[in-house]
């Protein structure tokens, strides 16, 4: 039994089309791929669909082995710890994953290697496998941007710029009031800014700044906007603002996040 098969079973029982079942939560085309096990749906979207059609979570998940739901929760933890750049929790979580051949284990390895600046030490076959999977991620707001954000170290800058440009040019199709989209999108933009800074792409960083400034003032991304502001201050060599933002981040209890941020070139913060 898979998530897709179970969704299809309940949809047929309710006499709904795939578009009806998707309910505007995801697109009908993406939902169709989920039913055919060609795409994975995040647990938040899945629960939203089930709640919309009054499908009991107990009834839906009863058919699965006891391992399936914990795996979905494990993925949620990975994204949450990545969002907070909590290296310690990521390392501890990696030790809990017993099956080292799973995609979630590869994702954890990549995140940890990225935060420790040693992606180059990962086996080439692992990098290529993750790159292939993440390049196939849908950028049409049909899932989310977590996997693309995680895998930014695997792309060259031209590929990343093309992806970000596509998002900017098609921003009207994204629900920028939805936290489930906003938070992974901000993570993707921050990782892109990091590459912009390290590889001296000032004009591209300015475009990110304009895009983020035009985004809704959503409480869930206040911190992410502060990080974007930090990167722009780096580009402008504004050491006063850089130190001010680092102070705010540390005071907020995110010292581990501050440690992952680059410094003004040639200076120590």
């Amino acid at each position: 039994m898979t998530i897709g098969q179970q969704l299809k079973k309940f949809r047929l029982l309710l006499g709904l089309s795939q578009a009806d079942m998707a309910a505007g939560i995801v697109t009908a085309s993406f939902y169709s791929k989920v039913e055919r096990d060609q795409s994975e749906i995040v647990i938040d979207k899945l629960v939203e669909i089930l709640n919309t059609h009054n499908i009991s979570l107990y009834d839906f998940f009863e058919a699965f082995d006891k391992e399936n739901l914990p795996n979905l929760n494990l993925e949620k933890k990975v994204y949450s710890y990545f969002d907070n750049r909590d290296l310690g929790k990521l390392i501890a979580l990696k030790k809990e994953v017993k099956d080292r051949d799973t995609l979630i284990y590869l994702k954890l390895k990549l995140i940890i290697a990225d935060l420790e600046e040693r992606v180059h030490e990962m086996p080439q076959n692992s990098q290529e496998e993750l790159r292939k999977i993440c390049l196939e991620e849908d950028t049409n707001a049909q899932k989310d941007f977590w996997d693309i954000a995680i895998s930014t170290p695997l792309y060259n800058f031209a590929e990343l710029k093309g992806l970000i440009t596509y998002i900017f040019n098609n921003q009207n199709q994204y629900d920028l009031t939805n936290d489930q989209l906003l938070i992974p999108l901000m993570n993707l933009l921050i990782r892109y800014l990091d590459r912009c800074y390290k590889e001296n792409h000032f004009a591209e960083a300015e475009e990110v700044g304009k895009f983020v400034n035009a985004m809704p003032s959503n409480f869930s991304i206040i911190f992410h906007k502060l990080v974007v502001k930090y990167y722009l201050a780096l580009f402008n060599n504004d050491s006063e603002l850089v130190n001010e933002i680092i102070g705010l981040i540390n005071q907020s209890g995110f010292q581990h996040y501050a440690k992952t941020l680059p410094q003004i070139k040639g200076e120590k913060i």
Side-chain angles (χ1 to χ4, degrees), residues 140-152:
N140 295 321
Q142 296 179 348
K143 187 171 182 279
D144 56 44
F145 294 102
W146 281 122
D147 287 349
I148 301 174
I150 286 170
S151 62
T152 53

Side-chain angles (χ1 to χ4, degrees), residues 247-259:
L248 287 171
I249 291 174
N250 283 322
Q251 289 169 22
S252 300
F254 288 94
Q255 294 89 344
H256 46 270
Y257 199 114
K259 290 178 182 178

Side-chain angles (χ1 to χ4, degrees), residues 2 6 22 32 40 56-58 60 65 67 82 96 119-121 129 162 178 191-193 202 216 220 223 230 262:
T2 66
Q6 190 74 333
S32 175
E40 295 179 359
S56 161
L57 296 181
Y58 176 82
F60 186 86
D65 295 332
E67 295 181 358
F82 171 68
E96 294 178 16
V119 171
H120 62 280
E121 295 178 7
E129 182 179 353
N178 181 357
R191 299 311 294 153
Y192 177 62
L193 276 176
F202 181 61
S220 65
F223 178 81
Y230 175 86

Side-chain angles (χ1 to χ4, degrees), residues 1-14 21 31 34-35 37 41-66 68-69 72:
M1 178 64 69
T2 66
I3 293 290
Q5 291 168 346
Q6 190 74 333
L7 278 170
K8 183 177 181 180
K9 183 183 82 172
F10 276 89
R11 177 176 65 80
L12 294 175
L13 286 171
L14 293 170
M21 193 69 170
Y31 176 84
V34 173
E35 276 200 0
D37 297 319
I41 187 169
V42 292
I43 191 167
D44 306 83
K45 295 292 185 182
L46 173 60
V47 170
E48 192 175 349
I49 288 173
L50 299 180
N51 287 339
T52 297
H53 297 293
N54 297 312
I55 299 171
S56 161
L57 296 181
Y58 176 82
D59 290 342
F60 186 86
F61 288 109
E62 187 180 21
F64 293 90
D65 295 332
K66 291 182 178 179
N68 287 338
L69 188 54
L72 293 173

Side-chain angles (χ1 to χ4, degrees), residues 12-219:
L12 294 175
L13 286 171
L14 293 170
L16 299 175
S17 67
Q18 290 185 336
D20 292 334
M21 193 69 170
I25 297 166
V26 296
T27 67
S29 61
F30 175 71
Y31 176 84
S32 175
K33 292 178 182 178
V34 173
E35 276 200 0
R36 288 179 280 130
D37 297 319
Q38 293 179 354
S39 290
E40 295 179 359
I41 187 169
V42 292
I43 191 167
D44 306 83
K45 295 292 185 182
L46 173 60
V47 170
E48 192 175 349
I49 288 173
L50 299 180
N51 287 339
T52 297
H53 297 293
N54 297 312
I55 299 171
S56 161
L57 296 181
Y58 176 82
D59 290 342
F60 186 86
F61 288 109
E62 187 180 21
F64 293 90
D65 295 332
K66 291 182 178 179
E67 295 181 358
N68 287 338
L69 188 54
N71 285 341
L72 293 173
N73 289 328
L74 177 62
E75 183 178 71
K76 197 169 184 178
K77 281 185 180 180
V78 170
Y79 296 150
S80 175
Y81 297 162
F82 171 68
D83 182 42
N84 292 322
R85 305 298 189 269
D86 197 325
L87 182 59
K89 287 185 177 179
L90 287 162
I91 292 173
L93 191 62
K94 178 171 169 278
K95 293 177 181 178
E96 294 178 16
V97 181
K98 296 179 181 179
D99 188 350
R100 298 192 172 189
D101 292 326
T102 59
L103 178 58
I104 201 71
Y105 186 81
L106 279 176
K107 289 179 184 178
L108 278 165
K109 280 186 65 177
L110 176 59
I111 295 170
I112 293 168
D114 183 26
L115 294 180
E116 293 181 340
E117 297 187 347
R118 52 176 185 81
V119 171
H120 62 280
E121 295 178 7
M122 285 186 67
Q124 195 62 36
N125 61 329
S126 295
Q127 293 189 41
E128 289 300 325
E129 182 179 353
L130 276 169
R131 176 183 166 84
K132 180 178 182 299
I133 292 168
C134 295
L135 278 174
E136 292 173 354
E137 282 296 309
D138 202 322
T139 56
N140 295 321
Q142 296 179 348
K143 187 171 182 279
D144 56 44
F145 294 102
W146 281 122
D147 287 349
I148 301 174
I150 286 170
S151 62
T152 53
L154 304 180
Y155 311 142
N156 63 48
F157 189 81
E159 289 172 325
L160 274 179
K161 180 179 177 180
L163 174 60
I164 299 300
T165 300
Y166 175 86
I167 293 170
F168 290 171
N169 290 341
N170 295 276
Q171 58 185 283
N172 291 335
Q173 71 183 5
Y174 302 118
D175 180 7
L176 296 181
T177 64
N178 181 357
D179 288 355
Q180 302 304 321
L181 175 68
L182 272 179
I183 295 174
L185 174 57
M186 288 299 294
N187 273 273
L188 171 57
L189 294 178
I190 288 169
R191 299 311 294 153
Y192 177 62
L193 276 176
D194 193 73
R195 289 286 295 276
C196 286
Y197 184 65
K198 290 175 179 176
E199 299 177 31
N200 299 310
H201 296 285
F202 181 61
E204 288 81 355
E206 283 189 317
E207 290 299 313
V208 174
K210 292 175 185 176
F211 180 80
V212 171
N213 285 336
M215 293 172 74
S217 298
N218 192 307
F219 178 78

